[in-house]
Amino acid sequence: MKKFAKNFMLGAATAAHQVEGNNIHSDYWAQEQLPHSMFNEPSLDAVDHYNRYAEDIRLLAEAGLNAYRFSIEWARIQPKPDAWDEKEVEHYRAVLKCCHENGVKPIVTMHHFSSPKWLISQGGWENPETVEKFAAYCKRLVGELGDQMEYVCTINEANMRLQLAALMQDMMKRMQAHSDQEGTGGKKSESDVQVGINMNQENMMLSMMETAQAFGIQDPRKVHTFVSQCSPEGDLLVMRAHEAARDAMKEACPHLKIGLTLSLHDMQPYPGGETFAGKEWDDEFLHYLLFIKSDDFLGVQCYTRKRFDKDGVTQPAADVRRTQMGYEDYPPAIANVVRKVAEDFKGDLIVTENGIATEDDARRCEFVKEAAEGIQACIEDGIPVKGYMYWSLLDNFEWQKGYGMTFGLIAVDRSTQTRTAKESLSVLGSLIER
């Protein structure tokens, strides 16, 4: 199999809340503790990456990988609005230095879904003041750590809130219509977004009430975490936060290469479904172009495809191979999306997430090779793809789904936190020239 060039960034990704453990000042931690939580289980110690990052980065490097995408947890740096924890800043300095010492290029994400609890209590991701708060955090942090950074993602999957809004609207329509498929509709909807969420309608109302209480908000409809449905104004607010943070970090550290990441699907219409596919592509990608055209790169994240007929989105046939997440196992999706994105975004592209949740690591090995072949073909056709980050380096906490989804290249026994590299780790590492 053809290999990527030495200067290609080939690696894996994680997110702080999903791997570090004990992220006690975050909005996610608060929601996990509720009596009627929507989470299958709390994150607790996660996979203790906070204390074991050196071992994990070493395993990545020893496999032949040269890049690691991870996030810095805002809630650790600013556990209170007027606080700034230098001890935590130094922790992330140590993580960055560990990357460099192992010949690994860090790709740093400033916000990966989780926010400080206090931010949500102040109106969260519908409050216009969040734009400046996020920009100020980013500027100060790179002022301290920017000399260790090169690539920075401001916001992970900046379009996720709009996807969730569409999902919730669809669910409400089904509830009001008392659809015959109401009992199974939730499962179908959950697999329409590329993040671990639960749509248990029975638990949802109780959880909403308890969530509002946890954040000191009277109206449950005014709890605006990042992974919640947004208004059109909230969608715009995320873009404004990205632009403000990008410009503030550039002012502090002009050498940084800054972009954001988007959650995208490979849109495939059957005859008659072209209008629906076009509308979804506009919602997921095209309408963001105005806000990202000045970015140094775009992070592309895709796990599967969506198919459309004359009535809208169709569900895969019963015999189609699916991942643990419920959506179709379809490795060509990532290359198809990269090609589609490159038609309109003319800057550098990095695949910041792509992977498969499966217990079958032999299948993961094949998935990795199939996805890599597609990306190599994109590069051969002149598309400026600069890196591929597999999701995820470690089996970890898949948000509301808990620890049941196994995406990782490294297995973790959480009773002992013992790491075991899977064959897929070495397979991915073998795909780059040494």
Side-chain angles (χ1 to χ4, degrees), residues 253-409:
C253 294
H255 72 278
L256 294 178
K257 298 171 184 174
I258 303 175
L260 52 64
T261 84
L262 294 174
S263 169
L264 303 171
H265 292 82
D266 178 12
M267 308 295 186
Q268 297 188 5
Y270 294 105
E274 293 84 358
T275 300
F276 286 106
K279 170 66 166 60
E280 288 234 10
W281 186 244
D282 181 76
D283 287 347
E284 280 198 357
F285 177 64
L286 290 177
H287 86 276
Y288 295 109
L289 278 171
L290 175 67
F291 306 100
I292 63 176
K293 65 181 188 299
S294 299
D295 292 359
D296 297 304
F297 69 91
L298 173 64
V300 178
Q301 303 186 181
C302 174
Y303 292 83
T304 192
R305 65 178 170 179
K306 277 189 178 182
R307 310 195 77 179
F308 303 82
D309 62 16
K310 62 181 178 59
D311 298 314
V313 177
T314 67
Q315 295 300 323
D319 59 349
V320 165
R321 183 166 54 195
R322 296 175 184 255
T323 74
Q324 291 172 329
M325 294 286 286
Y327 46 69
E328 184 180 358
D329 173 352
Y330 189 71
I334 185 60
N336 292 344
V337 165
V338 164
R339 291 181 183 278
K340 186 70 174 173
V341 165
E343 293 176 9
D344 295 288
F345 183 83
K346 299 306 179 182
D348 289 347
L349 301 175
I350 301 173
V351 176
T352 40
E353 286 184 27
N354 173 248
I356 180 172
T358 178
E359 293 180 353
D360 182 359
D361 194 54
R363 175 59 201 144
R364 181 176 292 103
C365 292
E366 293 306 309
F367 183 100
V368 164
K369 288 187 281 190
E370 291 175 57
E373 284 179 343
I375 297 302
Q376 288 165 350
C378 290
I379 295 169
E380 289 172 358
D381 289 342
I383 298 173
V385 185
K386 302 303 181 182
Y388 175 92
M389 303 298 117
Y390 176 85
W391 183 272
S392 175
L393 177 62
L394 302 150
D395 285 340
N396 61 39
F397 183 72
E398 182 53 37
W399 308 113
Q400 291 185 356
K401 297 293 187 186
Y403 292 101
M405 309 288 110
T406 49
F407 281 92
L409 301 170

Side-chain angles (χ1 to χ4, degrees), residues 19-21 48-53 76 87-88 91-92:
V19 295
E20 287 183 343
D48 197 30
H49 183 65
Y50 186 90
N51 295 304
R52 298 168 188 263
Y53 66 86
R76 291 191 190 275
K87 175 176 167 288
E88 297 292 358
H91 167 78
Y92 288 110

Side-chain angles (χ1 to χ4, degrees), residues 129-146:
E129 294 178 2
T130 293
V131 172
E132 181 50 39
K133 286 181 171 69
F134 181 62
Y137 153 70
C138 290
K139 183 176 184 179
R140 183 171 176 180
L141 190 62
V142 301
E144 297 192 41
L145 298 179

Side-chain angles (χ1 to χ4, degrees), residues 209-226:
M209 296 295 292
E210 292 168 2
T211 298
Q213 292 173 359
F215 293 112
I217 297 172
Q218 288 189 329
D219 186 346
R221 296 169 298 179
K222 294 185 178 179
V223 177
H224 303 299
T225 64
F226 192 85

